[in-house]
Amino acid sequence: MAAMASTMGAAAVAMPKAMVEASPASSFVSQRVSFVSQRRSGLVAFGVGNGSAKVSMAAAGAAAPKGGKQQKKEIDETLLTPRFYTTDFDEMERLFNVEINKNLNEAEFEALAAEFKADYNQTHFVRNPEFKAAADKLQGPLRQIFVEFLERSCTAEFSGFLLYKELGRRLKKTNPVVAEIFTLMSRDEARHAGFLNKGLSDFNLALDLGFLTKARKYTFFRPQFIFYATYLSEKIGYWRYISIFRHLKQNPEYQCYPIFKYFENWCQDENRHGDFFSALLKAQPQFLNDWQAKLWSRFFCLSVYVTMYLNDVQRTAFYEGIGLNTRDFDMHVIVETNRTTARIFPAVLDVENPVFQERLDKLVVLNQKLIDIGTTSAPAPLKAIQRVPAILGMVSEILALYLMKPVDCGSLDFAEKEAELVY
Ligand SMILES: [Fe+2]
Ligand SMILES: [Fe+2]
């Protein structure tokens, strides 16, 4: 997944991060299977505030020294943190059964599988001594925020790895070609997560991914929602990576850590992953062709965009550290992702209407109020009362965003390869 696509949220269902403990803004979520899987970037659920929700893994204890590094078993969970996902695998098997679903274009999936097998980035993720030297130069608040960036990105990528790996395993008999693609995508995500975790070693840290796999809670999304969320997550990840790469290429003085130099090829992985989900969606026209599909499409777009915006504005120091204006960067990514998404989703948001960003900025202010309340020493019941106006305000802004006149779009027979349109 897109790495950072740690961007997801929304009301959720419980997407990239822990909405669970602190009731999310939505009601979808419901079940949760005991098994693992899910995803990045991006998806989250409209997180409200900087909730203090700690996932259960936190109780297991934190860092234990190992080989001179801090082995981290917890990450700071908030409503906006990347989540792990799981889904209804039985329904997935029915959706990808070629005897039941005559819309599955096997030739298209064969072609996609060949592209994944080519493994263009097999030798791309090779580190060099520049990493450690650059990390040593990062000091003070920027150092801490880089660590957080690496941790969140690693978690988001790993989330994609878990979900895709399980889908690859579960679909093997029903649809071997689709299953193989999922497995190859999990290879990519494992590579991305591993590369980010190696980056953490430059800061004498490492995430204990095995522990996270077992201890972290999984958010359940039914297959339809997994498709919307992962498609958006991959595409927004693509736009984030490529935008950062292009910016740093033009402004090399901000190239303070070499991982960004890898983003150009890296984002092509995310783009391919998104194209695969685009093909999957086309094979499930029932998820694209009615009024409910339009409502869900808008809902997921909003969830992802709001989550990313709130997350990133809270981390302005990181974006400013690499020479970006956080809000401009986010709006660029949102607009580009929305244009890409409009090629497949039946409806998207009118993000290019200036009112859209105005409302996002109102959400930022309200979210900050919630964060500020959380940091006071007032008793919990008082804090709960103090939060009410801000929460109501956020609900009202989110509803207003959702109800803005949408953009009808989509096509079930658009360009064979979205990549042709992206570049
Ligand atoms: Fe990835
Ligand atoms: Fe991906």
Side-chain angles (χ1 to χ4, degrees):
M1 262 179 138
M4 316 186 7
S6 68
T7 24
M8 286 223 185
V13 198
M15 224 181 206
K17 294 172 194 169
M19 245 171 154
V20 187
E21 288 83 350
S23 62
S26 91
S27 54
F28 330 165
V29 187
S30 40
Q31 40 176 321
R32 180 166 301 142
V33 280
S34 58
F35 201 24
V36 215
S37 341
Q38 157 70 54
R39 169 159 274 282
R40 93 172 99 138
S41 195
L43 301 194
V44 192
F46 290 148
V48 180
N50 193 13
S52 44
K54 283 258 177 192
V55 282
S56 53
M57 69 183 85
K66 184 179 174 186
K69 287 180 195 147
Q70 292 285 92
Q71 189 82 358
K72 290 197 74 177
K73 291 191 171 179
E74 68 173 87
I75 55 175
D76 295 328
E77 294 282 346
T78 74
L79 291 182
L80 298 176
T81 310
R83 296 169 175 281
F84 286 0
Y85 293 90
T86 188
T87 190
D88 181 341
F89 293 103
D90 292 335
E91 188 188 340
M92 279 287 188
E93 286 185 69
R94 285 193 295 279
L95 291 172
F96 291 108
N97 186 323
V98 289
E99 285 167 20
I100 297 173
N101 184 353
K102 300 298 178 194
N103 295 307
L104 288 162
N105 182 340
E106 291 183 70
E108 182 175 12
F109 287 117
E110 294 276 6
L112 282 165
E115 207 171 322
F116 280 104
K117 275 190 257 189
D119 198 4
Y120 303 115
N121 283 338
Q122 188 176 22
T123 57
H124 178 61
F125 295 95
V126 177
R127 284 161 50 85
N128 60 46
E130 280 180 45
F131 280 77
K132 180 70 179 145
D136 289 344
K137 276 191 206 153
L138 286 169
Q139 294 300 329
L142 193 56
R143 182 177 179 87
Q144 184 49 43
I145 210 144
F146 253 82
V147 166
E148 193 194 7
F149 158 74
L150 292 170
E151 282 181 358
R152 292 172 63 90
S153 301
C154 181
T155 306
E157 297 281 9
F158 190 66
S159 167
F161 160 74
L162 290 173
L163 179 64
Y164 298 160
K165 180 168 168 254
E166 186 60 8
L167 281 165
R169 193 179 76 80
R170 291 291 294 261
L171 296 173
K172 205 173 265 178
K173 283 198 184 121
T174 314
N175 193 323
V177 177
V178 166
E180 183 177 25
I181 296 175
F182 273 119
T183 301
L184 292 170
M185 292 204 309
S186 76
R187 167 205 67 195
D188 294 343
E189 305 300 17
R191 204 175 263 162
H192 302 166
F195 199 64
L196 287 156
N197 215 4
K198 284 277 186 190
L200 279 167
S201 73
D202 297 327
F203 298 84
N204 302 316
L205 290 165
L207 275 181
D208 186 342
L209 297 174
F211 183 82
L212 287 189
T213 304
K214 293 192 203 106
R216 200 141 191 262
K217 290 188 177 177
Y218 288 78
T219 295
F220 178 86
F221 272 10
R222 64 195 218 211
Q224 177 182 9
F225 299 159
I226 288 282
F227 292 153
Y228 297 144
T230 45
Y231 173 83
L232 282 165
S233 179
E234 298 292 359
K235 287 300 181 185
I236 209 165
Y238 164 77
W239 281 110
R240 289 176 65 90
Y241 285 149
I242 197 65
S243 302
I244 290 174
F245 176 83
R246 287 174 181 161
H247 159 74
L248 290 176
K249 197 171 179 195
Q250 285 170 0
N251 303 279
E253 68 275 23
Y254 290 107
Q255 186 70 262
C256 51
Y257 186 63
I259 204 162
F260 304 115
K261 294 179 187 169
Y262 291 73
F263 277 13
E264 187 177 32
N265 287 37
W266 187 331
C267 77
Q268 303 305 339
D269 282 344
E270 312 303 2
N271 202 36
R272 272 187 289 276
H273 299 171
D275 289 345
F276 171 61
F277 280 103
S278 182
L280 290 187
L281 277 164
K282 282 194 292 176
Q284 312 292 341
Q286 72 278 17
F287 297 156
L288 297 175
N289 63 6
D290 60 14
W291 62 271
Q292 290 150 303
K294 288 189 177 190
L295 292 178
W296 285 121
S297 294
R298 287 160 57 194
F299 173 81
F300 275 90
C301 284
L302 186 58
S303 301
V304 171
Y305 302 158
V306 167
T307 305
M308 182 180 79
Y309 202 82
L310 294 182
N311 261 320
D312 288 352
V313 171
Q314 281 179 49
R315 293 167 180 79
T316 284
F318 173 79
Y319 297 95
E320 288 178 352
I322 56 173
L324 286 165
N325 175 299
T326 309
R327 291 173 201 233
D328 291 349
F329 167 72
D330 269 33
M331 282 314 297
H332 167 74
V333 169
I334 287 171
V335 165
E336 294 296 349
T337 302
N338 206 56
R339 288 177 181 170
T340 304
T341 303
R343 298 181 192 130
I344 183 72
F345 280 25
V348 293
L349 306 172
D350 187 9
V351 300
E352 295 178 60
N353 181 335
V355 173
F356 188 84
Q357 190 177 6
E358 283 169 23
R359 292 201 179 277
L360 285 182
D361 285 328
K362 286 181 188 167
L363 279 175
V364 167
V365 173
L366 292 162
N367 193 43
Q368 189 58 49
K369 279 187 186 159
L370 289 179
I371 294 169
D372 293 344
I373 291 167
T375 58
T376 65
S377 56
L382 180 58
K383 283 187 184 180
I385 294 168
Q386 289 173 334
R387 285 191 180 109
V388 171
I391 290 172
L392 290 177
M394 289 188 86
V395 170
S396 160
E397 288 303 330
I398 288 169
L399 263 180
L401 280 165
Y402 185 68
L403 295 174
M404 280 175 68
K405 191 171 183 305
V407 180
D408 282 329
C409 52
S411 165
L412 291 180
D413 56 359
F414 67 132
E416 282 297 306
K417 286 249 188 115
E418 230 176 294
E420 291 169 9
L421 299 169
V422 170
Y423 303 105

